[in-house]
Amino acid sequence: MNPITPRTPAEATAPAMSEVVSLNEAFQSRSWALPEPAPHGTAPGSDHNSPAGELPSAPIAAGTPGRREAAADGTRGVVAGPPGHSRRPSPATAPGTPGASLPRPSAHGGALSNASLTPDPAPHPAPEHHPNPPSPKPTSHPPRTTPAQTPAPQAPPAPTTPTAPATPWQDLLTTALLGTDRRPPTPGTPGAAGNAPLALLDAAAVATVRRRAGLRAGAVGKRLEPVAVDRRPQVPPDAARRLALLLADRSGSGSGRRGGAPDLTELLPQWLAAANAHGYAAPPQALPALLDAARGRTDLRPAALAFAGQRALWLARLNPDWRFALRSAAGGTASQPGSGDEAGVRRLWEEGLFAERVALLGTLRTRDPEAARALLAETWAAERAEDRLMFLDSLRTGLSPADEPFLERALADRSRNVRATAAELLSALPGSALGVRMAARASACVAVDHTGTGPALAVEAPFACDPDMERDGVTAKPPAGRGERSWWLAQLVEATPLDTWRDRLGGRTPEEIVALPVADDWQGELHAAWCRAAVRQRDAEWSRALLGEPSAPEAAGPGAVSLAERAKLLITLEAGERAAWVGGFIAAHGLSEAFQLLGVCAVPWAPALGRAVVDALNIARDAGSYPWSFSGVMGLAERCLDPAEAARLAGLLAVPDESEDASPGAGGYWAEAFQRLTATLRLRATMAEELTPPGT
Amino acid sequence: MTEQGVRWTADQVLALAPDAASRKAGSKLGTAGPWSETGAGEGTVWGLCKGSGSRPYQTVVDLADATGPAYKCSCPSRKFPCKHTLGLLLLWAEGAVAVPASAEPPEWAGQWLAGRRRRAEDRRTEAGKEAAGSADPEAARRRADRRAERVTAGATELEQRLADLLRGGLASAEQAGYAMWDETAARMVDAQAPGLAARVRELGAIPASGPGWPARLLEECALLHLLDQGWLRRDTLPDGLAATVRSRLGLPAQADGPPLRDHWLVLAQYDTADVKLTTRRIWLYGTDSGHTRLLLSYGAAGRSPDLALPVGLTLDADLSAYPGAGRSRAALGEQYAPPVPSTLRPPGVTPAEAMARYGAALREDPWLDAVPVTLAGVVPVPDGDGTAWQLADTERDSALPLTPSAHSRPGLWRLLTLSGGTPLTVFGECGHQGFTPLTAWPDTTDTPVALC
């Protein structure tokens, strides 16, 4: 590396430029250029600024001639003034004896502050590792003024008249590579007489130190655009430290038993959500780890990128590993035109990438639903089917009767998926024409039958799927294993406004309707369709009716309503009611089926729900099973239980005496699981505390 | 030493961890959950940690000792300090809620502490006696002479080997591989010249280091030769340079410089590890004197070095310099107060001045690879095709490239994100390979961020 460019004759006469060392090869850059040669060969005595005693004033390398030094010394002594200390004679430097002084790296007069603050226009003496034993060359060194003496030295580049060819680095290197046996030094170069390899090393040592000493800072590359200032408040220091700990832990999860310590990885989403809620700016030093974490976990990305802000995008443009941040943020709020900028909106809509357009439509829809729909309607016919589907999906936000004409037109779309989505949106729209049509069709299929012992529901599924039904989004062909007629019935009921049934079925409330027996095993099909309708129409009353009493025996069984559907129904309820229902369910049926239901409850869990879960865990422990049968619920509890509940867990931390019917060792494992639960809760409380802005 | 104010920072605690796994395990235990009967007082911290067994582990730490913290834990871990110790210290660092100050340690902790203090006392009196008794200057001189002879024999042999290498050509070194160098290095170990051995070992890696290796190899061989010659002619060298040669050769030296009391700001702390040894380097900046000094601390494999000084603390203490011109190594003497966090930042120079500083430092120690420098008002700028980086002066057209090794460290990205294209202050090592950033002070905050 570091080739020293061979000296041209012109350079040889202009010592200031005589050696240009470039490290380009080493760094593939233009960072280093060496405009100044290092005048290392100067005699120690001439370094007037150097404190005596610090200078290596005696030669320690043999091989290069000492007379050259003497000559230089003499010159310098005259030019540069009295030496700071006397030169110690030594056998090696006795005139005529071969010997070189220790390479002198700097000619800057020894005072760092002086040398470094003043540009040194004075050319330095020619490099002196090229020897000239027979005739000391009459080099005239330019006066070496120190800044202290002459603030602006005007030393002219006194040309020298070298009488011997230089020994460029390249020549040394070639000899070294081939070996002095194969390439003996030419007469007049080091080692021509005596120990050739060692003389070569002498010369190389001088060249090396002078190259290093002469290195100068290089030119600046293309500067980066500074990132915009983040105006959000700084994260409090304790919280920043916590974030670093959470991020540092991410590689370790899932390996080995966790013991009683909290799983920090699982707390990262909570931390980010809380920090975003407070509106903090991310501490810059945490960004690399945060981006790495978000790279591996897509679920973290939205929160992580929102927290990381513009700086993360700036950083992601510099590191290919973090490209995902640019993708996720493409068309994000940053690059979107503002609310008044109609031309900007139009341009982005017409010229933007698909992701940018979806994002634009979504933002616009939240802000101005009418304008968003109008924008979409303009280019609707020209969009690709997949794009139409995604755009149509954006209308879910802020859906209103004003959208109906557009959606009605979309029912005639070429793509079946677009038609189905349009129908779904229309059926969720109260009072839509599609809803009325569907209600008419479904009403024909379900009726109250008074012929039996009590009122019951009689179901007559449709016999055909006519083109009008298909146009309204009904899929004619059932999935494998399903009867055509029940498939059609399910779709009709699902898309029928639930209000229809009150009038159709004799003014009964949803509870009463759900309680009616259904003839001919149609109950499952009908109730499932009602569930989907309740979820789609967000009808809390019907959801409540379909969910039934949480403690009812069939609630846990393989009843008409599956757990997954129940979880969806629960979402339509208010958070408090939801928590109460799940709490009641757990109290009655235990935890084995509760995981999915707990997942839809608001975090932190309501006190009653939390208590129900803890009690159920306690019961499970007393029943003698192992805690890992409940690891899912345990994990949820660690993340969702209100930290205030930690105190109530204190009694569960001890290892209980083993009862006879318990699984061996279970008590210890339960104690450990509860310890982890408590530790995690405490940690979450600390996290929340740390994130609270000081003074509130 | 009473409570409060002297509680460590979490970084300070984590710097004690022998490895990354312990650091993580310790962080997990740094919560109140598993701990009971914790307390702290008189420079000691204790607590009971609930493990997987029925009996909790008893953990005690003695921080008052001048030679570094001492730990005891009843767990069977062979890590030192173990995760329980780290967890306890982290908890203690959090504040008085988690680990309350209390006057009297419980009996199990008290016994160990009393025993320790008594032994330390014994050692002190013993040391006093020994210093008086073992003063046999004659024997010491004979030992030193014997070693010097061995080193001289080693240096002579190394000269011979270098000459043979150059005679045959460096091209042959590529084929020879590590074996030749390893054998030579072993000879240098026998010759009790560890400095030579380490340099020789590094030579072995150069032929595999990519394009331009012959030049690098020749440079290093030449400097090795220079060191040999320096030793062989040490009698003719000025004292400072002779001491530098001795220290480069790895001969023992006493930090016998006059103690310099200052408020030493910790600029950087980083570890380098090889198979047998972990070396910790701590750069300190004297806020009054303006000197930059290096503390070295060693730990056997699997143990962290005793000394832990996280970046950003200041230390009111004496430092004594080791001999050698142009060498910045010092030994930590008496500490007058526990380290306290500081918002000071060292004064900085421009890239051009930093390079000049390195050049000037070579005059006193031509073997120097880099000098410690603080750069002020620099921005990271992509260098060339975008994979390399440099630190550029904000005003002038001058920039320092980062060293190749700095490019592969995660600290690079921390440096970039801290900057965000705006100037910052960076402390690092500046040498012929470029600049290695170690610590950064962004212009927006006073808290330094470690990059290593």
Side-chain angles (χ1 to χ4, degrees):
Chain A
M1 68 174 199
N2 319 336
I4 299 178
T5 55
R7 184 182 302 197
T8 64
E11 281 169 337
T13 55
M17 294 303 294
S18 64
E19 276 200 5
V20 176
V21 174
S22 147
L23 288 183
N24 283 359
E25 273 192 28
F27 302 116
Q28 294 101 42
S29 76
R30 54 193 178 289
S31 295
W32 300 86
L34 177 52
E36 298 172 81
H40 49 74
T42 55
S46 63
D47 281 288
H48 34 256
N49 274 2
S50 302
E54 280 189 11
L55 288 167
S57 61
I60 60 169
T64 43
R67 297 185 63 171
R68 180 69 184 76
E69 296 301 318
D73 200 14
T75 321
R76 310 301 311 288
V78 173
V79 177
H85 66 292
S86 65
R87 189 177 180 192
R88 269 188 251 171
S90 68
T93 46
T97 313
S101 77
L102 178 69
R104 303 304 325 291
S106 173
H108 287 280
L112 281 182
S113 53
N114 290 345
S116 53
L117 288 172
T118 313
D120 196 351
H124 296 292
E128 295 168 27
H129 63 280
H130 51 89
N132 190 0
S135 59
K137 72 181 168 195
T139 310
S140 81
H141 289 282
R144 310 267 326 298
T145 52
T146 64
Q149 288 165 331
T150 317
Q154 299 288 318
T160 56
T161 50
T163 55
T167 306
W169 175 252
Q170 204 55 49
D171 190 39
L172 284 177
L173 189 57
T174 311
T175 310
L177 262 175
L178 295 175
T180 49
D181 282 355
R182 247 164 275 163
R183 190 179 194 262
T186 44
T189 51
N195 194 335
L198 291 186
L200 175 68
L201 283 174
D202 278 350
V206 174
T208 300
V209 178
R210 56 171 279 121
R211 182 191 73 76
R212 291 185 177 180
L215 287 168
R216 291 294 177 267
V220 178
K222 192 174 175 302
R223 291 178 195 268
L224 297 170
E225 197 64 31
V227 67
V229 177
D230 200 333
R231 306 220 172 273
R232 296 178 291 178
Q234 292 284 323
V235 171
D238 286 343
R241 206 170 299 127
R242 180 74 55 196
L243 174 64
L245 281 178
L246 297 185
L247 288 170
D249 187 55
R250 92 199 135 78
S251 55
S253 67
S255 61
R257 220 162 57 83
R258 283 194 289 145
D263 185 354
L264 298 182
T265 323
E266 288 304 320
L267 297 178
L268 191 54
Q270 283 197 0
W271 193 97
L272 288 172
N276 281 334
H278 284 292
Y280 286 124
Q285 62 270 28
L287 288 187
L290 186 61
L291 285 170
D292 280 343
R295 186 188 181 203
R297 284 182 63 180
T298 42
D299 62 315
L300 275 180
R301 286 185 188 177
L305 290 177
F307 180 58
Q310 284 297 302
R311 199 174 279 258
L313 303 185
W314 182 88
L315 208 54
R317 276 190 281 274
L318 302 172
N319 188 339
D321 284 354
W322 299 329
R323 287 263 161 78
F324 72 87
L326 298 177
R327 273 201 305 277
S328 317
T333 48
S335 61
Q336 280 197 14
S339 53
D341 182 11
E342 276 186 34
V345 167
R346 189 159 300 276
R347 192 172 57 246
L348 186 61
W349 178 249
E350 279 163 8
E351 297 169 11
L353 298 171
F354 173 67
E356 288 170 341
R357 301 179 68 205
V358 170
L360 174 72
L361 196 65
T363 330
L364 196 59
R365 180 75 181 176
T366 347
R367 204 165 59 208
D368 183 355
E370 296 287 312
R373 196 189 60 245
L375 194 66
L376 178 58
E378 270 176 41
T379 57
W380 179 254
E383 306 288 355
R384 296 183 310 146
E386 306 92 297
D387 297 3
R388 287 203 301 277
L389 189 63
M390 282 299 284
F391 291 143
L392 199 58
D393 216 49
S394 321
L395 296 187
R396 225 175 266 277
T397 335
L399 193 65
S400 74
D403 297 321
E404 198 180 340
F406 178 77
L407 291 173
E408 277 288 338
R409 280 201 300 283
L411 284 178
D413 199 271
R414 292 186 300 278
S415 154
R416 191 162 56 82
N417 285 333
V418 172
R419 286 199 301 273
T421 307
E424 192 198 325
L425 287 173
L426 280 170
S427 67
L429 200 58
S432 68
L434 179 122
V436 173
R437 290 198 295 276
M438 284 299 197
R441 289 183 191 116
S443 300
C445 300
V446 183
V448 184
D449 176 11
H450 292 284
T451 54
T453 48
L457 287 181
V459 176
E460 186 66 48
F463 288 96
C465 179
D466 56 51
D468 281 349
M469 278 167 71
E470 278 200 70
R471 184 181 175 276
D472 282 350
V474 176
T475 311
K477 192 172 159 41
R482 261 194 97 171
E484 276 185 336
R485 295 182 61 202
S486 77
W487 170 243
W488 296 331
L489 174 77
Q491 291 182 84
L492 291 183
V493 174
E494 190 181 333
T496 301
L498 287 163
D499 293 342
T500 314
W501 302 111
R502 189 189 293 263
D503 305 332
R504 172 76 184 121
L505 304 177
R508 289 183 169 83
T509 63
E511 279 81 13
E512 288 163 349
I513 294 172
V514 172
L516 283 175
V518 184
D520 300 333
D521 292 341
W522 279 105
Q523 176 164 0
E525 203 68 67
L526 191 61
H527 281 197
W530 276 336
C531 281
R532 288 193 295 276
V535 171
R536 193 186 284 185
Q537 295 165 33
R538 299 180 181 284
D539 192 316
E541 203 186 350
W542 270 88
S543 295
R544 210 172 292 132
L546 287 160
L547 280 167
E549 280 299 308
S551 52
E554 73 271 21
V561 184
S562 76
L563 280 170
E565 273 165 348
R566 247 183 226 141
K568 283 189 200 155
L569 288 172
L570 280 168
I571 295 175
T572 67
L573 300 183
E574 290 292 312
E577 197 181 346
R578 208 186 305 165
W581 196 91
V582 177
F585 180 88
I586 290 172
H589 306 291
L591 291 168
S592 47
E593 306 284 334
F595 182 74
Q596 236 170 350
L597 304 178
L598 283 169
V600 300
C601 291
V603 177
W605 288 341
L609 175 59
R611 228 160 288 145
V613 173
V614 173
D615 288 347
L617 284 172
N618 200 5
I619 290 166
R621 176 178 74 158
D622 292 344
S625 52
Y626 282 113
W628 39 83
S629 317
F630 301 91
S631 59
V633 172
M634 211 59 160
L636 269 181
E638 284 167 17
R639 294 195 291 281
C640 307
L641 203 56
D642 192 326
E645 294 285 317
R648 290 177 13 90
L649 291 166
L652 300 173
L653 300 184
V655 181
D657 295 329
E658 229 161 79
S659 63
E660 278 175 14
D661 53 348
S663 318
Y669 292 122
W670 273 105
E672 191 178 275
F674 279 120
Q675 275 164 21
R676 187 171 63 235
L677 179 57
T678 331
T680 313
L681 294 179
R682 289 225 173 87
L683 186 59
R684 282 174 49 212
T686 319
M687 268 167 44
E689 213 169 279
E690 286 166 347
L691 278 165
T692 312
T696 53
Chain B
M1 191 151 69
T2 47
E3 270 313 305
Q4 285 318 329
V6 299
R7 281 185 197 257
W8 290 16
T9 65
D11 294 337
Q12 212 172 343
V13 174
L14 288 175
L16 296 172
D19 52 31
S22 304
R23 201 169 301 145
K24 193 164 29 172
S27 315
K28 285 189 175 178
L29 285 174
T31 53
W35 292 96
S36 57
E37 289 183 40
T38 54
E42 306 268 327
T44 57
V45 189
W46 59 85
L48 295 178
C49 183
K50 178 81 195 61
S52 50
S54 57
R55 290 172 61 92
Y57 297 125
Q58 303 171 338
T59 311
V60 206
V61 188
D62 182 1
L63 298 162
D65 200 305
T67 57
Y71 328 97
K72 181 173 187 316
C73 183
S74 58
C75 76
S77 165
R78 274 187 285 177
K79 295 275 179 64
F80 199 79
C82 67
K83 60 181 179 177
H84 307 103
T85 310
L86 293 171
L88 176 64
L89 286 175
L90 281 174
L91 200 63
W92 169 70
E94 252 170 36
V97 183
V99 181
S102 103
E104 204 55 43
E107 185 168 359
W108 50 266
Q111 272 175 358
W112 177 73
L113 289 168
R116 245 188 82 73
R117 302 254 152 102
R118 200 172 50 242
R119 278 196 303 278
E121 194 61 40
D122 291 350
R123 260 202 309 278
R124 256 196 296 281
T125 47
E126 199 107 313
K129 261 184 268 167
E130 199 156 299
S134 75
D136 182 358
E138 190 54 34
R141 204 182 53 76
R142 270 204 308 276
R143 275 199 302 277
D145 284 351
R146 263 206 306 280
R147 178 157 189 185
E149 275 166 33
R150 285 210 189 113
V151 175
T152 302
T156 315
E157 182 185 345
L158 186 56
E159 282 292 89
Q160 197 53 51
R161 285 178 183 239
L162 284 174
D164 290 347
L165 176 69
L166 267 292
R167 210 170 273 128
L170 295 181
S172 63
E174 196 180 15
Q175 285 111 48
Y178 279 100
M180 172 182 73
W181 300 110
D182 278 349
E183 197 251 323
T184 313
R187 296 285 301 152
M188 292 307 113
V189 172
D190 293 346
Q192 295 188 317
L196 292 180
R199 280 182 171 268
V200 168
R201 225 172 277 126
E202 280 168 25
L203 287 183
I206 293 180
S209 66
W213 69 265
R216 283 195 290 278
L217 186 57
L218 178 57
E219 283 195 342
E220 291 306 322
C221 285
L223 288 178
L224 190 55
H225 161 71
L226 193 66
L227 190 54
D228 281 340
Q229 291 295 333
W231 171 257
L232 297 175
R233 289 153 199 258
R234 62 191 181 282
D235 295 343
T236 64
L237 297 182
D239 293 345
L241 186 61
T244 303
V245 168
R246 243 176 254 126
S247 109
R248 286 282 172 196
L249 278 165
L251 298 187
Q254 292 296 319
D256 50 7
L260 175 60
R261 179 172 176 179
D262 202 334
H263 289 91
W264 296 99
L265 171 65
V266 183
L267 291 175
Q269 165 179 305
Y270 65 100
D271 294 351
T272 46
D274 62 18
V275 186
K276 289 186 195 142
L277 199 66
T278 306
T279 306
R280 176 167 291 170
R281 288 183 172 76
I282 301 174
W283 284 109
L284 298 174
Y285 173 77
T287 48
D288 301 330
S289 63
H291 291 305
T292 305
R293 289 284 176 263
L294 177 67
L295 296 181
L296 287 179
S297 179
Y298 299 98
R303 280 183 67 158
S304 68
D306 288 337
L307 197 57
L309 293 170
V311 173
L313 296 182
T314 47
L315 191 66
D316 180 7
D318 282 338
L319 288 192
S320 305
Y322 278 89
R327 309 282 281 149
S328 40
R329 186 178 172 195
L332 187 58
E334 188 169 350
Q335 299 186 44
Y336 298 97
V340 286
S342 162
T343 55
L344 282 170
R345 63 172 74 190
V349 298
T350 65
E353 287 160 354
M355 225 42 239
R357 239 180 227 199
Y358 172 66
L362 282 178
R363 72 169 46 225
E364 283 165 352
D365 181 0
W367 300 277
L368 197 64
D369 278 327
V371 290
V373 176
T374 306
L375 298 175
V378 286
V379 280
V381 169
D383 195 353
D385 60 2
T387 51
W389 291 86
Q390 54 178 209
L391 281 170
D393 200 318
T394 32
E395 279 153 31
R396 281 164 287 265
D397 183 30
S398 96
L400 289 179
L402 299 189
T403 50
S405 60
H407 281 109
S408 54
R409 292 195 206 147
L412 170 70
W413 292 101
R414 253 177 304 192
L415 176 68
L416 288 176
T417 173
L418 280 173
S419 156
T422 56
L424 28 69
T425 302
V426 184
F427 170 77
E429 293 170 2
C430 175
H432 61 94
Q433 290 203 300
F435 187 83
T436 308
L438 295 174
T439 306
W441 289 262
D443 277 5
T444 46
T445 65
D446 282 328
T447 330
V449 177
L451 304 173
C452 46

